[in-house]
Amino acid sequence: MIIMIQGFGSAIATMFSDDAKFGFLLRWAHDYQPFAGIVTGLLGIGVLILGERGKSSNGG
């Protein structure tokens, strides 16, 4: 969930301002925003879905 928030949040933050303080995990990718943020957010969604899928297959 944190990956998703950081990814989409940093992409949105760079669209509306040039302040890189929000995406502290993606500060290294500031030159590649908003695409790096979108990809990271999609990766976070994928991890979240796979985690929930694993929980449901284990019966938990």
Side-chain angles (χ1 to χ4, degrees):
M1 185 95 138
I2 293 173
I3 297 170
M4 184 176 57
I5 292 170
Q6 279 293 311
F8 290 131
S10 65
I12 292 170
T14 56
M15 286 182 194
F16 293 110
S17 73
D18 197 30
D19 189 16
K21 291 180 183 175
F22 179 79
F24 67 92
L25 293 176
L26 292 176
R27 190 170 300 175
W28 59 270
H30 184 69
D31 295 335
Y32 308 110
Q33 291 291 6
F35 302 110
I38 292 169
V39 169
T40 305
L42 292 174
L43 178 71
I45 289 174
V47 169
L48 189 67
I49 289 172
L50 288 175
E52 290 298 321
R53 195 166 144 195
K55 284 181 186 177
S56 65
S57 67
N58 290 336

